[in-house]
């Protein structure tokens, strides 16, 4: 059984006067959320043998915080195609993943990540999928179980096994808090 884990970048700063969206950094709350999610993954013994990530600044900084909480750093494949990609493009990237990879972590952006989960996981009224469909907040994590080889992964071929938001681990990281 393979696993595909999706991590949405942490909350970014709209206060920073960058010229390009690609260069927008993560804010302090986002860094706390990324570390918290990394700590969660360490406690839950989640691991990956292949990491694909958007090279956008907010994804790079999210991974910096995430690795800090996780306790070790894995080297991602920085792929510009992940930046603001559609779910179809993201699925193409997963289909092209190394066949020997058993556990993939994909770090990127919405709406592509959320749409990818909704494409891969059948709508059978499951609570986790319904919660993710309502909103896939920044720094949230979705884990799916996959039976097929990566190159055969297609719509409705995954099972969502976890959906964890930063506020689930620390209420201060919720949307209504500073």
């Amino acid at each position: 059984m393979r696993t595909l884990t999706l991590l949405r970048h942490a909350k970014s700063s709209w206060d920073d006067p960058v010229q390009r969206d690609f260069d927008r950094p993560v804010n302090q709350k986002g860094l706390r959320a990324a570390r918290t999610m990394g700590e969660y993954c360490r406690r839950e013994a989640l691991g990956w043998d292949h990491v694909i990530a958007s090279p956008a600044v907010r994804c790079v900084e999210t991974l910096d915080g995430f690795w800090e909480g996780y306790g070790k750093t894995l080297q991602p494949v920085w792929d510009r195609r992940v930046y603001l990609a559609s779910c179809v493009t993201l699925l193409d990237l997963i289909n092209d993943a190394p066949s020997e990879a058993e556990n993939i972590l994909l770090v990127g952006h919405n709406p592509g990540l959320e749409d990818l989960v909704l494409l891969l996981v059948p709508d059978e009224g499951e609570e986790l999928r319904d919660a993710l469909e309502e909103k896939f907040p920044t720094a949230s994590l979705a884990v799916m179980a996959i039976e097929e080889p990566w190159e055969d992964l297609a719509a409705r071929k995954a099972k969502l096994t976890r959906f964890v938001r930063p506020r689930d681990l620390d209420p201060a990281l919720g949307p209504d808090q500073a």
Side-chain angles (χ1 to χ4, degrees):
M1 183 74 62
R2 292 170 177 73
T3 62
L4 173 59
T5 303
L6 307 182
L7 175 65
R8 184 174 174 203
H9 69 77
K11 187 144 191 74
S12 58
S13 176
W14 289 96
D15 297 332
D16 198 301
V18 296
Q19 291 186 344
R20 299 183 316 157
D21 175 73
F22 186 88
D23 298 323
R24 223 170 356 105
V26 170
N27 67 22
Q28 288 304 308
K29 183 177 177 181
L31 287 174
R32 287 194 321 270
R35 277 193 299 274
T36 298
M37 296 307 285
E39 291 165 0
Y40 168 81
C41 290
R42 181 183 65 222
R43 280 193 312 274
E44 295 294 311
L46 299 182
W48 308 278
D49 50 19
H50 189 68
V51 181
I52 306 166
S54 164
V57 170
R58 58 192 179 274
C59 288
V60 172
E61 291 180 352
T62 295
L63 275 175
D64 288 344
F66 184 85
W67 297 140
E68 184 180 323
Y70 190 64
K72 67 178 177 179
T73 301
L74 303 175
Q75 284 304 319
V77 174
W78 300 107
D79 195 319
R80 180 73 184 228
R81 293 173 294 172
V82 177
Y83 176 66
L84 303 181
S86 70
C87 65
V88 173
T89 299
L90 295 174
L91 181 56
D92 286 344
L93 288 168
I94 298 301
N95 289 151
D96 291 340
S99 59
E100 65 274 6
E102 292 292 321
N103 303 292
I104 294 176
L105 173 62
L106 174 62
V107 184
H109 311 266
N110 252 7
L113 291 180
E114 180 177 331
D115 290 346
L116 181 61
V117 176
L118 299 178
L119 174 71
L120 294 176
V121 177
D123 187 359
E124 297 172 340
E126 292 184 10
E127 189 176 320
L128 280 180
R129 188 186 187 281
D130 289 347
L132 186 141
E133 186 173 14
E134 184 177 317
K135 186 170 185 182
F136 190 4
T138 53
S140 292
L141 191 77
V143 181
M144 293 170 280
I146 311 289
E147 290 186 17
E148 288 79 12
W150 299 119
E151 66 263 12
D152 295 334
L153 182 59
R156 297 179 304 284
K157 294 292 186 182
K159 177 168 179 49
L160 185 62
T161 59
R162 293 178 198 242
F163 173 53
V164 183
R165 302 165 299 190
R167 70 175 175 233
D168 297 332
L169 305 173
D170 180 353
L173 295 171
D176 299 324
Q177 303 295 321

